[in-house]
Structure formats: C-alpha cells, structure tokens
Amino acid sequence: MWWIFDCSPQRGLQPAEAEVSYAGYVYASPDTEGELFTSGTLDFSLKNGEPVEGEQPYAEDYPGYWAALLPASQSFELRISGEDVYPSRWAGRSPTSDGSWFAGTLFAADKVWMDDLFAQVAPDAGALSEGAIHLWGLPYDPEAWDCALVRVQGQPVRCFDYDAENASFVQVESGSFEWFFAVDLEPGAVEVDSGIGGKHIYTAEAGDLVMALWFQGEVP
C-alpha cells in the first residue's frame, strides 16, 4: 500500500461513484515556510476516466490553494509541473467524501532545491535538467523498514538519515532509515518495492522526479 498524503476527517460518507472535492495548499518547494505554488499545473490521472486538471478556485484571496473534483475513493497519479520546477510524479487515493490533504505534504520540485539535494545524496547521478529520472522516497514508518531490502526497478537504493545538528546526510546500508533515493532510472514503469510487502508502480518520463513520499511498506 502507498500514500501520497493524508486527508482531513471525513464527513457525510458518499457512495463510491460520487464525485468529491480534494483540496489543499501546495508549496513551491519542500520548504513549507517558503512560497506557495501558484503558477503551474496539477494534473490528476485516473485508471478509469478522463484526466482532471487541478484549479485554484480562490486564487485572489488564497493563492496556492488547489482543488480538483475526483471520483470518490479512486487511485490516481498526480503530475505537478511549472516553469521553475522539475515535473514530479505522485500517487494517491481520493477521499470517500470531500476532504483535504494536510498543509506541507504536497509540494513542487523546485529546481534549485532539488539540484542541491541530489548533489548531496547522489553527486554521481545525471542531471534532471538533462533528462535524468530520479526518485525520492520516505517511509511512512521508518523503523519498520530495512534499507537492504528496498528495491526500485529491481535495484538497491541509497538510504540516509539526516543529522539536523550538522545539517548533513548520513548514509545507511541496512536497518531503519529516513529517506531513500534511486537515480538514473529507465523511463516507463518505476516499481517501488519496500521489501516488507508494499509495492507500487509509478510512470515516469525523461526529466521526471518520482515522489514516493510517505510510502507505506507493508500491505495490511
């Protein structure tokens, strides 16, 4: 099972075929104290149905607050793109009634921020700006994972803990960890296998950053 972000408490549950509003703030980078994402696109793709484009319904008063009408309780992929960000691929499931994701859990892949991140964790990797495909993952329950078991496209990943005191990354070879990365991936299907039961396949094109964040490792 996999996660994109949690939704707010749900009220008045609707039948599965109903259309629901899914909304929330989107930041311009992982820095949730920084700017909001106000210029670009949020495109939701569902297995059954037409693509849905996110909108900013209250742009004048609440810029960066995005919303989309989606079929209730349906899996989707989300692509966030814009002028100063790398296209990013997310995955999730719409709520069973009108709901919102928590502020700070959905953001665009700011080019400067991401270039700095991958320069630290994968200095040997190709550049997203030149068409490389990378993945950034974060376990929902880090203590339950073992880095030695995690695979992306069938290959081991790079795992790290973050040392906030020294503002540096500490590589982890096995056992629990906080973040994981896979770089220079092949286009098309990008399968993430937690090694403890959870899998999901994302779809990526050249230059995409796959966001396997809050990934739930074990299928309940």
Side-chain angles (χ1 to χ4, degrees):
M1 186 175 181
W2 41 273
W3 292 63
I4 179 175
F5 31 68
D6 294 318
C7 60
S8 62
Q10 300 169 357
R11 303 175 298 277
L13 296 183
Q14 303 178 21
E17 66 271 13
E19 195 172 57
V20 298
S21 173
Y22 203 21
Y25 283 103
V26 180
Y27 285 84
S29 80
D31 179 7
T32 58
E33 295 183 358
E35 297 180 358
L36 290 163
F37 183 66
T38 60
S39 178
T41 61
L42 270 67
D43 295 314
F44 294 82
S45 298
L46 299 102
K47 290 184 178 179
N48 300 311
E50 296 294 324
V52 177
E53 185 173 339
E55 299 178 345
Q56 296 182 77
Y58 316 112
E60 185 173 342
D61 296 320
Y62 302 101
Y65 185 87
W66 293 78
L69 292 176
L70 304 172
S73 192
Q74 293 290 312
S75 299
F76 62 79
E77 287 201 355
L78 170 62
R79 187 175 189 266
I80 301 177
S81 59
E83 182 178 352
D84 297 321
V85 304
Y86 292 118
S88 55
R89 302 276 185 163
W90 302 73
R93 191 174 186 85
S94 60
T96 55
S97 66
D98 292 349
S100 59
W101 53 83
F102 292 123
T105 53
L106 188 58
F107 47 82
D110 176 79
K111 289 181 178 179
V112 174
W113 206 100
M114 292 301 168
D115 286 346
D116 180 66
L117 173 64
F118 281 94
Q120 296 180 69
V121 300
D124 57 326
L128 287 163
S129 61
E130 297 178 359
I133 298 172
H134 300 332
L135 177 144
W136 173 16
L138 186 157
Y140 186 75
D141 181 8
E143 294 300 320
W145 289 51
D146 181 349
C147 178
L149 301 179
V150 183
R151 297 290 183 272
V152 172
Q153 284 188 340
Q155 299 299 314
V157 299
R158 308 180 189 204
C159 304
F160 295 86
D161 285 332
Y162 185 70
D163 183 348
E165 184 175 347
N166 296 308
S168 62
F169 291 93
V170 180
Q171 191 155 7
V172 175
E173 299 294 338
S174 62
S176 64
F177 57 92
E178 295 176 333
W179 292 0
F180 66 100
F181 300 88
V183 299
D184 296 324
L185 302 171
E186 293 296 322
V190 177
E191 182 184 73
V192 181
D193 183 347
S194 69
I196 54 175
K199 295 182 180 181
H200 183 68
I201 296 176
Y202 299 80
T203 303
E205 302 173 359
D208 281 349
L209 176 60
V210 177
M211 298 290 207
L213 302 186
W214 300 284
F215 197 101
Q216 186 155 330
E218 185 175 2
V219 177

Coordinates of all heavy atoms in Angstrom, one line a residue, residues 82-165:
G82 N 5.7 23.0 -13.8 CA 5.7 24.5 -13.9 C 7.1 25.0 -14.4 O 8.0 24.2 -14.6
E83 N 7.2 26.3 -14.5 CA 8.4 26.9 -15.2 C 9.6 26.7 -14.4 O 10.7 26.4 -14.9 CB 8.1 28.4 -15.4 CG 9.3 29.1 -16.1 CD 9.0 30.5 -16.4 OE1 7.9 31.0 -16.2 OE2 10.0 31.2 -16.8
D84 N 9.6 26.8 -13.1 CA 10.8 26.8 -12.3 C 10.9 25.5 -11.4 O 11.7 25.4 -10.5 CB 10.8 28.0 -11.3 CG 10.9 29.3 -12.1 OD1 11.7 29.3 -13.1 OD2 10.2 30.2 -11.7
V85 N 10.2 24.5 -11.8 CA 10.2 23.2 -11.1 C 10.4 22.0 -12.0 O 10.0 22.1 -13.2 CB 8.9 23.0 -10.3 CG1 8.6 24.2 -9.4 CG2 7.7 22.8 -11.2
Y86 N 10.9 21.0 -11.5 CA 11.0 19.7 -12.3 C 9.6 19.0 -12.3 O 9.0 19.1 -11.2 CB 12.1 18.8 -11.8 CG 13.5 19.3 -11.9 CD1 14.3 19.6 -10.8 CD2 14.0 19.6 -13.2 CE1 15.6 20.0 -11.0 CE2 15.3 20.0 -13.4 CZ 16.1 20.3 -12.3 OH 17.4 20.8 -12.4
P87 N 9.2 18.4 -13.3 CA 7.9 17.7 -13.3 C 8.1 16.6 -12.2 O 9.1 15.8 -12.2 CB 7.8 17.1 -14.7 CG 8.7 17.9 -15.5 CD 9.8 18.4 -14.7
S88 N 7.1 16.5 -11.3 CA 7.1 15.5 -10.3 C 5.9 14.6 -10.4 O 4.8 15.0 -10.7 CB 7.2 16.1 -8.9 OG 6.2 17.0 -8.7
R89 N 6.1 13.3 -10.1 CA 5.1 12.3 -10.1 C 4.7 11.8 -8.7 O 5.6 11.4 -8.0 CB 5.6 11.1 -11.0 CG 6.0 11.5 -12.4 CD 4.8 11.5 -13.3 NE 5.2 11.7 -14.7 CZ 4.4 11.5 -15.7 NH1 3.2 11.0 -15.6 NH2 4.9 11.8 -17.0
W90 N 3.5 11.9 -8.4 CA 3.0 11.4 -7.1 C 1.9 10.4 -7.3 O 1.4 10.2 -8.4 CB 2.3 12.6 -6.4 CG 3.2 13.8 -6.1 CD1 3.7 14.7 -7.0 CD2 3.8 14.2 -4.8 NE1 4.5 15.6 -6.4 CE2 4.5 15.3 -5.1 CE3 3.7 13.7 -3.5 CZ2 5.2 16.0 -4.0 CZ3 4.3 14.3 -2.5 CH2 5.1 15.5 -2.8
A91 N 1.5 9.7 -6.3 CA 0.4 8.7 -6.4 C -0.4 8.8 -5.1 O 0.1 9.1 -4.0 CB 1.0 7.3 -6.5
G92 N -1.7 8.5 -5.2 CA -2.5 8.6 -4.0 C -3.9 8.0 -4.3 O -4.1 7.4 -5.3
R93 N -4.8 8.3 -3.4 CA -6.2 7.8 -3.5 C -7.1 9.0 -3.0 O -6.8 9.6 -2.0 CB -6.4 6.6 -2.6 CG -7.7 5.9 -2.8 CD -7.8 4.6 -2.0 NE -8.9 3.8 -2.3 CZ -9.0 3.0 -3.4 NH1 -8.0 2.8 -4.1 NH2 -10.2 2.3 -3.6
S94 N -8.1 9.2 -3.8 CA -9.1 10.3 -3.4 C -9.8 9.9 -2.2 O -10.0 8.7 -1.9 CB -10.0 10.6 -4.6 OG -10.7 9.4 -4.9
P95 N -10.3 10.8 -1.4 CA -11.1 10.5 -0.2 C -12.5 10.0 -0.5 O -12.9 10.1 -1.7 CB -11.2 11.8 0.6 CG -11.0 12.9 -0.5 CD -10.1 12.3 -1.5
T96 N -13.2 9.4 0.5 CA -14.5 8.9 0.2 C -15.6 10.0 0.4 O -16.8 9.8 0.0 CB -14.9 7.8 1.3 OG1 -14.6 8.3 2.6 CG2 -14.0 6.6 1.0
S97 N -15.2 11.2 0.9 CA -16.0 12.4 0.9 C -15.1 13.6 0.7 O -13.9 13.5 0.7 CB -16.8 12.5 2.2 OG -16.0 12.7 3.3
D98 N -15.7 14.8 0.6 CA -14.9 16.0 0.4 C -13.9 16.1 1.5 O -14.2 15.9 2.7 CB -15.8 17.2 0.5 CG -16.8 17.3 -0.7 OD1 -16.6 16.5 -1.7 OD2 -17.7 18.2 -0.7
G99 N -12.6 16.3 1.1 CA -11.6 16.3 2.1 C -10.4 17.1 1.6 O -10.4 17.6 0.4
S100 N -9.3 17.2 2.4 CA -8.1 18.0 2.0 C -6.9 17.3 2.5 O -7.0 16.6 3.5 CB -8.2 19.4 2.6 OG -8.3 19.4 4.0
W101 N -5.8 17.5 1.9 CA -4.5 17.0 2.3 C -3.9 18.0 3.3 O -4.2 19.2 3.3 CB -3.6 16.7 1.2 CG -3.3 17.9 0.3 CD1 -2.5 18.9 0.5 CD2 -4.0 18.2 -1.0 NE1 -2.5 19.8 -0.6 CE2 -3.4 19.4 -1.5 CE3 -4.9 17.5 -1.7 CZ2 -3.8 19.9 -2.7 CZ3 -5.3 18.0 -3.0 CH2 -4.8 19.2 -3.4
F102 N -3.1 17.5 4.2 CA -2.5 18.3 5.2 C -1.5 19.3 4.6 O -0.7 18.9 3.7 CB -1.8 17.5 6.3 CG -2.7 16.6 7.1 CD1 -2.6 15.3 7.2 CD2 -3.7 17.2 7.9 CE1 -3.4 14.5 8.0 CE2 -4.6 16.5 8.7 CZ -4.4 15.1 8.7
A103 N -1.5 20.5 5.0 CA -0.6 21.5 4.5 C 0.9 21.0 4.7 O 1.2 20.6 5.8 CB -0.8 22.8 5.2
G104 N 1.6 21.1 3.7 CA 3.1 20.8 3.8 C 3.4 19.4 3.2 O 4.5 19.0 3.1
T105 N 2.3 18.6 2.9 CA 2.6 17.3 2.4 C 2.6 17.2 0.9 O 3.0 16.1 0.4 CB 1.6 16.3 3.0 OG1 0.2 16.7 2.7 CG2 1.7 16.1 4.4
L106 N 2.3 18.2 0.2 CA 2.3 18.2 -1.2 C 3.0 19.5 -1.7 O 2.7 20.6 -1.3 CB 0.9 18.2 -1.8 CG 0.8 18.0 -3.3 CD1 1.4 16.7 -3.8 CD2 -0.7 18.0 -3.7
F107 N 4.0 19.3 -2.6 CA 4.8 20.5 -3.0 C 5.4 20.2 -4.4 O 5.5 19.1 -4.8 CB 6.0 20.8 -2.0 CG 6.7 19.5 -1.6 CD1 7.8 19.0 -2.4 CD2 6.4 18.9 -0.4 CE1 8.5 17.9 -2.0 CE2 7.1 17.7 0.0 CZ 8.1 17.2 -0.8
A108 N 5.8 21.3 -5.0 CA 6.5 21.2 -6.3 C 8.0 20.9 -6.1 O 8.6 21.2 -5.0 CB 6.3 22.5 -7.1
A109 N 8.6 20.4 -7.2 CA 10.1 20.1 -7.1 C 10.9 21.3 -7.6 O 11.4 21.3 -8.7 CB 10.3 18.9 -7.9
D110 N 11.0 22.3 -6.7 CA 11.8 23.5 -7.1 C 13.2 23.1 -7.6 O 13.9 22.2 -7.0 CB 12.0 24.3 -5.9 CG 12.8 25.5 -6.1 OD1 12.3 26.5 -6.7 OD2 14.0 25.5 -5.7
K111 N 13.6 23.6 -8.7 CA 14.8 23.1 -9.4 C 16.1 23.4 -8.5 O 16.9 22.5 -8.4 CB 15.0 23.9 -10.7 CG 14.0 23.4 -11.8 CD 14.2 24.1 -13.1 CE 13.2 23.6 -14.2 NZ 13.4 24.3 -15.5
V112 N 16.2 24.5 -7.9 CA 17.4 24.9 -7.1 C 17.4 23.9 -5.9 O 18.5 23.4 -5.6 CB 17.4 26.3 -6.7 CG1 18.5 26.6 -5.7 CG2 17.5 27.2 -7.9
W113 N 16.3 23.8 -5.2 CA 16.2 22.9 -4.0 C 16.6 21.5 -4.4 O 17.4 20.8 -3.7 CB 14.8 23.0 -3.5 CG 14.7 22.7 -2.0 CD1 14.6 23.6 -1.0 CD2 14.7 21.4 -1.4 NE1 14.5 23.0 0.2 CE2 14.5 21.6 0.0 CE3 14.8 20.1 -1.8 CZ2 14.5 20.6 1.0 CZ3 14.7 19.1 -0.9 CH2 14.6 19.3 0.5
M114 N 16.0 21.0 -5.5 CA 16.3 19.6 -5.8 C 17.7 19.3 -6.3 O 18.3 18.3 -6.0 CB 15.3 19.1 -6.9 CG 13.9 19.0 -6.3 SD 13.7 17.9 -4.9 CE 12.1 18.3 -4.3
D115 N 18.2 20.3 -7.1 CA 19.6 20.1 -7.5 C 20.6 20.1 -6.3 O 21.5 19.3 -6.3 CB 20.0 21.3 -8.4 CG 19.4 21.2 -9.8 OD1 18.9 20.1 -10.2 OD2 19.4 22.2 -10.5
D116 N 20.3 20.9 -5.3 CA 21.1 20.9 -4.1 C 21.0 19.5 -3.4 O 22.0 19.0 -2.9 CB 20.8 22.0 -3.2 CG 21.6 22.1 -1.9 OD1 22.8 22.3 -2.0 OD2 21.0 21.8 -0.9
L117 N 19.8 19.0 -3.3 CA 19.5 17.8 -2.6 C 20.3 16.6 -3.3 O 21.0 15.9 -2.6 CB 18.0 17.5 -2.6 CG 17.7 16.1 -2.0 CD1 18.0 15.9 -0.6 CD2 16.2 15.8 -2.2
F118 N 20.2 16.5 -4.6 CA 20.8 15.4 -5.3 C 22.3 15.5 -5.4 O 23.0 14.6 -5.5 CB 20.1 15.1 -6.6 CG 18.9 14.4 -6.5 CD1 17.7 15.1 -6.4 CD2 18.8 13.0 -6.4 CE1 16.4 14.4 -6.3 CE2 17.6 12.3 -6.3 CZ 16.4 13.0 -6.2
A119 N 22.8 16.8 -5.3 CA 24.3 17.0 -5.3 C 24.8 16.4 -4.0 O 26.0 16.0 -4.0 CB 24.6 18.5 -5.4
Q120 N 24.0 16.4 -2.9 CA 24.5 15.8 -1.7 C 24.3 14.3 -1.6 O 25.2 13.6 -1.1 CB 23.7 16.5 -0.5 CG 23.9 18.0 -0.4 CD 23.2 18.5 0.8 OE1 23.4 18.3 2.0 NE2 22.2 19.4 0.5
V121 N 23.2 13.8 -2.0 CA 22.9 12.3 -1.9 C 23.4 11.5 -3.0 O 23.5 10.3 -2.9 CB 21.4 12.1 -1.6 CG1 21.0 12.8 -0.3 CG2 20.6 12.5 -2.7
A122 N 23.6 12.1 -4.2 CA 23.9 11.3 -5.4 C 24.8 12.2 -6.3 O 24.3 12.5 -7.5 CB 22.7 10.8 -6.1
P123 N 26.0 12.6 -5.9 CA 26.7 13.6 -6.8 C 27.2 12.9 -8.1 O 27.5 13.7 -9.0 CB 28.0 13.9 -5.9 CG 28.0 12.7 -4.9 CD 26.6 12.3 -4.7
D124 N 27.1 11.6 -8.2 CA 27.5 10.9 -9.5 C 26.3 10.8 -10.4 O 26.5 10.3 -11.5 CB 28.0 9.6 -9.1 CG 27.1 8.7 -8.3 OD1 26.3 9.3 -7.5 OD2 27.1 7.5 -8.5
A125 N 25.1 11.2 -10.0 CA 23.9 11.0 -10.8 C 23.8 12.0 -12.0 O 24.4 13.1 -11.9 CB 22.7 11.1 -10.0
G126 N 23.1 11.6 -13.0 CA 22.8 12.5 -14.1 C 21.9 13.6 -13.6 O 21.3 13.6 -12.6
A127 N 21.8 14.7 -14.5 CA 21.0 15.9 -14.1 C 19.6 15.7 -14.6 O 19.3 15.3 -15.7 CB 21.7 17.1 -14.7
L128 N 18.7 16.1 -13.7 CA 17.3 16.1 -14.1 C 17.1 17.1 -15.2 O 16.2 16.9 -16.1 CB 16.4 16.6 -12.9 CG 16.2 15.5 -11.8 CD1 15.7 16.2 -10.5 CD2 15.2 14.5 -12.2
S129 N 17.8 18.2 -15.3 CA 17.7 19.2 -16.3 C 18.1 18.6 -17.7 O 17.7 19.2 -18.7 CB 18.5 20.4 -16.0 OG 19.9 20.1 -15.9
E130 N 18.8 17.5 -17.7 CA 19.3 16.9 -18.9 C 18.5 15.6 -19.2 O 18.9 14.8 -20.1 CB 20.8 16.6 -18.9 CG 21.6 17.9 -18.7 CD 23.1 17.6 -18.6 OE1 23.5 16.4 -18.6 OE2 23.9 18.6 -18.5
G131 N 17.4 15.4 -18.5 CA 16.5 14.3 -18.8 C 16.7 13.1 -17.9 O 16.0 12.1 -18.2
A132 N 17.5 13.1 -16.9 CA 17.6 12.0 -16.0 C 16.3 11.8 -15.2 O 15.5 12.8 -15.0 CB 18.7 12.2 -15.0
I133 N 16.0 10.6 -14.7 CA 14.9 10.3 -13.9 C 15.4 9.9 -12.6 O 16.1 8.9 -12.5 CB 14.0 9.2 -14.5 CG1 13.5 9.7 -15.9 CG2 12.8 8.9 -13.6 CD1 12.7 8.6 -16.7
H134 N 14.9 10.6 -11.5 CA 15.3 10.2 -10.2 C 14.1 10.0 -9.3 O 12.9 10.4 -9.7 CB 16.1 11.3 -9.5 CG 17.4 11.7 -10.2 ND1 18.1 10.7 -11.0 CD2 18.1 12.8 -10.3 CE1 19.2 11.3 -11.5 NE2 19.2 12.6 -11.1
L135 N 14.3 9.3 -8.2 CA 13.2 9.1 -7.2 C 13.7 9.4 -5.8 O 14.8 9.2 -5.4 CB 12.8 7.6 -7.2 CG 11.7 7.1 -6.2 CD1 10.8 6.1 -6.8 CD2 12.3 6.6 -4.9
W136 N 12.7 10.1 -5.1 CA 12.9 10.4 -3.7 C 11.8 9.8 -2.9 O 10.7 10.0 -3.2 CB 12.9 12.0 -3.5 CG 13.0 12.5 -2.1 CD1 13.3 11.8 -1.0 CD2 12.6 13.8 -1.7 NE1 13.3 12.6 0.1 CE2 12.8 13.8 -0.3 CE3 12.2 14.9 -2.3 CZ2 12.6 14.9 0.5 CZ3 11.9 16.1 -1.5 CH2 12.1 16.1 -0.1
G137 N 12.2 9.0 -1.9 CA 11.2 8.2 -1.1 C 11.4 8.5 0.4 O 12.5 8.9 0.9
L138 N 10.3 8.3 1.1 CA 10.2 8.5 2.5 C 9.3 7.5 3.1 O 8.1 7.5 2.8 CB 9.8 9.9 2.8 CG 9.8 10.4 4.3 CD1 9.9 11.9 4.3 CD2 8.6 10.0 5.0
P139 N 9.7 6.6 3.9 CA 8.9 5.6 4.5 C 7.9 6.2 5.5 O 8.2 7.1 6.3 CB 9.8 4.6 5.3 CG 11.2 4.9 4.8 CD 11.1 6.4 4.4
Y140 N 6.6 5.7 5.5 CA 5.6 6.2 6.4 C 6.0 5.8 7.9 O 5.8 6.5 8.8 CB 4.3 5.6 6.1 CG 3.1 6.2 6.9 CD1 2.7 7.4 6.7 CD2 2.5 5.4 7.9 CE1 1.6 8.0 7.5 CE2 1.5 5.9 8.7 CZ 1.0 7.2 8.4 OH 0.0 7.7 9.2
D141 N 6.6 4.6 8.0 CA 7.1 4.1 9.3 C 8.5 3.6 9.2 O 8.8 2.5 8.9 CB 6.2 2.9 9.7 CG 6.6 2.3 11.1 OD1 7.4 2.9 11.8 OD2 6.1 1.2 11.4
P142 N 9.5 4.6 9.3 CA 10.9 4.3 9.0 C 11.4 3.1 9.8 O 12.3 2.3 9.3 CB 11.6 5.6 9.4 CG 10.6 6.6 9.2 CD 9.3 6.0 9.7
E143 N 11.0 2.9 11.1 CA 11.6 1.9 11.9 C 11.2 0.5 11.4 O 11.9 -0.5 11.8 CB 11.1 2.1 13.4 CG 11.6 3.4 14.0 CD 13.1 3.4 14.1 OE1 13.7 2.4 14.4 OE2 13.6 4.5 13.9
A144 N 10.2 0.4 10.6 CA 9.8 -0.9 10.1 C 10.5 -1.4 8.9 O 10.4 -2.5 8.4 CB 8.2 -0.9 9.8
W145 N 11.3 -0.5 8.3 CA 11.9 -0.8 7.0 C 13.4 -1.2 7.2 O 14.0 -0.9 8.2 CB 11.9 0.5 6.1 CG 10.6 0.8 5.5 CD1 9.4 1.0 6.2 CD2 10.3 1.2 4.2 NE1 8.4 1.4 5.4 CE2 8.9 1.5 4.1 CE3 11.1 1.2 3.0 CZ2 8.3 1.9 2.9 CZ3 10.5 1.6 1.8 CH2 9.1 1.9 1.8
D146 N 13.9 -1.9 6.2 CA 15.3 -2.3 6.2 C 15.9 -1.9 4.8 O 15.4 -2.4 3.8 CB 15.4 -3.8 6.4 CG 16.9 -4.3 6.4 OD1 17.8 -3.5 6.0 OD2 17.1 -5.5 6.7
C147 N 16.8 -1.0 4.8 CA 17.4 -0.4 3.6 C 17.9 -1.5 2.7 O 17.7 -1.5 1.5 CB 18.5 0.5 3.9 SG 19.3 1.2 2.4
A148 N 18.4 -2.6 3.3 CA 19.0 -3.7 2.4 C 17.9 -4.4 1.6 O 18.3 -5.1 0.6 CB 19.7 -4.7 3.3
L149 N 16.6 -4.2 2.0 CA 15.6 -5.0 1.3 C 14.9 -4.1 0.2 O 14.1 -4.6 -0.6 CB 14.5 -5.5 2.3 CG 15.0 -6.4 3.4 CD1 13.9 -6.8 4.3 CD2 15.7 -7.6 2.8
V150 N 15.0 -2.8 0.3 CA 14.3 -1.9 -0.6 C 14.8 -2.0 -2.0 O 16.0 -2.0 -2.3 CB 14.3 -0.5 -0.1 CG1 13.5 0.4 -0.9 CG2 13.9 -0.4 1.4
R151 N 13.9 -2.0 -3.0 CA 14.3 -2.0 -4.4 C 13.5 -1.0 -5.2 O 12.3 -0.8 -4.9 CB 14.1 -3.4 -5.0 CG 15.0 -4.5 -4.4 CD 16.4 -4.3 -4.8 NE 17.3 -5.4 -4.3 CZ 17.9 -5.4 -3.1 NH1 17.7 -4.3 -2.2 NH2 18.6 -6.4 -2.7
V152 N 14.1 -0.4 -6.2 CA 13.4 0.4 -7.2 C 13.8 0.0 -8.6 O 15.0 -0.1 -8.8 CB 13.7 1.9 -7.0 CG1 13.1 2.7 -8.2 CG2 13.1 2.4 -5.7
Q153 N 12.9 -0.4 -9.4 CA 13.2 -1.0 -10.7 C 14.1 -2.2 -10.5 O 15.0 -2.5 -11.3 CB 13.7 0.0 -11.7 CG 12.7 0.9 -12.3 CD 13.2 1.8 -13.4 OE1 14.4 2.0 -13.5 NE2 12.3 2.3 -14.2
G154 N 13.9 -2.9 -9.4 CA 14.7 -4.2 -9.1 C 16.1 -3.9 -8.6 O 16.8 -4.9 -8.3
Q155 N 16.5 -2.7 -8.3 CA 17.9 -2.4 -7.9 C 17.9 -1.8 -6.5 O 16.9 -1.2 -6.0 CB 18.5 -1.4 -8.8 CG 18.6 -1.9 -10.3 CD 19.5 -3.1 -10.4 OE1 20.5 -3.2 -9.8 NE2 19.0 -4.1 -11.1
P156 N 19.0 -2.0 -5.7 CA 19.1 -1.4 -4.4 C 19.0 0.1 -4.4 O 19.3 0.7 -5.5 CB 20.4 -1.9 -3.9 CG 20.8 -3.1 -4.7 CD 20.1 -2.8 -6.1
V157 N 18.7 0.7 -3.3 CA 18.5 2.2 -3.3 C 19.6 2.8 -2.3 O 20.3 2.0 -1.7 CB 17.1 2.6 -2.7 CG1 16.0 2.0 -3.7 CG2 16.9 2.0 -1.3
R158 N 19.7 4.1 -2.3 CA 20.5 4.8 -1.4 C 19.7 5.3 -0.2 O 18.8 6.1 -0.5 CB 21.2 5.9 -2.1 CG 21.9 5.5 -3.4 CD 22.6 6.7 -4.1 NE 23.1 6.3 -5.4 CZ 24.0 7.0 -6.1 NH1 24.7 8.0 -5.5 NH2 24.4 6.6 -7.3
C159 N 20.1 4.9 1.0 CA 19.3 5.3 2.1 C 20.1 6.3 3.0 O 21.3 6.1 3.1 CB 18.9 4.1 3.0 SG 18.0 2.8 2.1
F160 N 19.4 7.2 3.7 CA 20.1 8.2 4.5 C 19.2 8.5 5.7 O 18.0 8.5 5.7 CB 20.3 9.5 3.7 CG 21.2 9.4 2.6 CD1 20.7 9.0 1.3 CD2 22.6 9.6 2.7 CE1 21.6 8.9 0.2 CE2 23.4 9.5 1.6 CZ 22.9 9.1 0.4
D161 N 19.9 8.9 6.8 CA 19.4 9.6 7.9 C 19.9 11.0 7.8 O 20.9 11.3 7.2 CB 19.8 9.0 9.3 CG 19.1 7.7 9.6 OD1 17.9 7.5 9.1 OD2 19.7 6.9 10.3
Y162 N 19.1 12.0 8.4 CA 19.5 13.4 8.3 C 20.0 13.8 9.7 O 19.2 13.7 10.7 CB 18.4 14.2 7.8 CG 18.8 15.7 7.6 CD1 19.7 16.0 6.6 CD2 18.4 16.7 8.5 CE1 20.1 17.3 6.4 CE2 18.8 18.0 8.3 CZ 19.7 18.3 7.3 OH 20.1 19.6 7.1
D163 N 21.2 14.3 9.8 CA 21.8 14.8 11.0 C 21.5 16.3 11.1 O 22.2 17.1 10.4 CB 23.3 14.6 11.0 CG 23.9 15.1 12.3 OD1 23.3 15.8 13.1 OD2 25.1 14.7 12.6
A164 N 20.4 16.7 11.8 CA 20.0 18.1 11.8 C 21.0 19.0 12.5 O 21.2 20.2 12.1 CB 18.6 18.2 12.5
E165 N 21.7 18.5 13.5 CA 22.6 19.3 14.2 C 23.8 19.8 13.3 O 24.2 20.9 13.4 CB 23.2 18.5 15.4 CG 24.2 19.3 16.3 CD 24.6 18.5 17.5 OE1 24.0 17.5 17.8 OE2 25.6 19.0 18.1

